[in-house]
Amino acid sequence: DATAFEALSGQGIAATVARRDVLVGRPAFLESRGIDPSGLAAAADELAAAGKTPVFVALDGAPAAVIGIADTRKAGSVEAVAELHKLGLHVAMLTGDNETTARAIARQAGVDRVLADVRPDEKAAQVRKLQAEGKLVAMVGDGINDAPALAQADVGVAIGTGTDVAIESGSVTLMSGDLRALVTAFSLSRATT
């Protein structure tokens, strides 16, 4: 059981487990606690190149491990991106994952632009930057961290299998987690305007 648990949004967690100090998070988080994670960099780079997000672990003030975390690609995401391209849309990925991991996933899915290393509290600002470039932005999200960006977007598209706050923040809700429904939503919108 963890005690003295502390979570720092977008950075990592600190806790005491079995009387040992444990830190889990980004390299900068470990560095902010006086720990040099550079000895784990090669393993982290390898994980990132494979499309996994490296998460660093320190025990009692010393670097101990790097863990690779990977979301499974949503069913139909490659097909959805291809269909969105056919509709003339530009697809960007806005993620907290590191740049290398994000680019590996973007290549697999056919995504045009990657905005990586974005902390949860920065997502809405990234949407504003896209809008300042003259883009009409449809943001798709399913989590608490996506809610401000969904509200900022010209069209916020919540995934119905996500959190209530994301659904409340979006202007459109896709009832399934299948991103091909997004293509259907855009096609219906164009047919009715």
Side-chain angles (χ1 to χ4, degrees):
D1 292 334
T3 59
F5 182 85
E6 177 188 15
L8 292 133
S9 180
Q11 293 299 309
I13 60 169
T16 302
V17 179
R19 288 178 272 192
R20 297 190 74 182
D21 292 325
V22 180
L23 299 176
V24 180
R26 296 176 175 267
F29 176 60
L30 272 63
E31 290 167 354
S32 75
R33 303 290 175 110
I35 300 166
D36 178 10
S38 61
L40 302 172
D45 291 346
E46 209 173 295
L47 290 167
K52 297 175 183 170
T53 299
V55 178
F56 291 74
V57 180
L59 296 174
D60 296 325
V66 63
I67 301 167
I69 299 173
D71 289 330
T72 55
R73 198 170 50 228
K74 288 192 180 293
S77 61
V78 173
E79 296 88 348
V81 170
E83 289 299 317
L84 291 169
H85 286 147
K86 286 180 187 173
L87 292 173
L89 299 173
H90 182 84
V91 180
M93 179 170 61
L94 175 62
T95 180
D97 287 339
N98 74 50
E99 186 85 21
T100 305
T101 301
R103 290 201 178 283
I105 293 167
R107 273 191 305 276
Q108 294 169 14
V111 170
D112 302 305
R113 183 172 179 179
V114 175
L115 304 166
D117 288 313
V118 179
R119 291 182 22 188
D121 59 329
E122 298 170 336
K123 286 186 175 184
Q126 289 294 326
V127 169
R128 278 192 295 279
K129 283 183 183 177
L130 291 169
Q131 291 168 324
E133 292 174 12
K135 308 246 188 291
L136 288 174
V137 178
M139 166 72 183
V140 180
D142 64 356
I144 292 169
N145 295 332
D146 296 324
L150 288 167
Q152 175 63 45
D154 297 291
V155 179
V157 182
I159 303 293
T161 56
T163 63
D164 289 344
V165 71
I167 293 168
E168 290 296 321
S169 299
S171 47
V172 174
T173 300
L174 303 178
M175 296 311 293
S176 75
D178 189 332
L179 291 177
R180 290 173 287 202
L182 181 62
V183 177
T184 303
F186 273 110
S187 297
L188 286 171
S189 174
R190 287 180 173 182
T192 58
T193 55

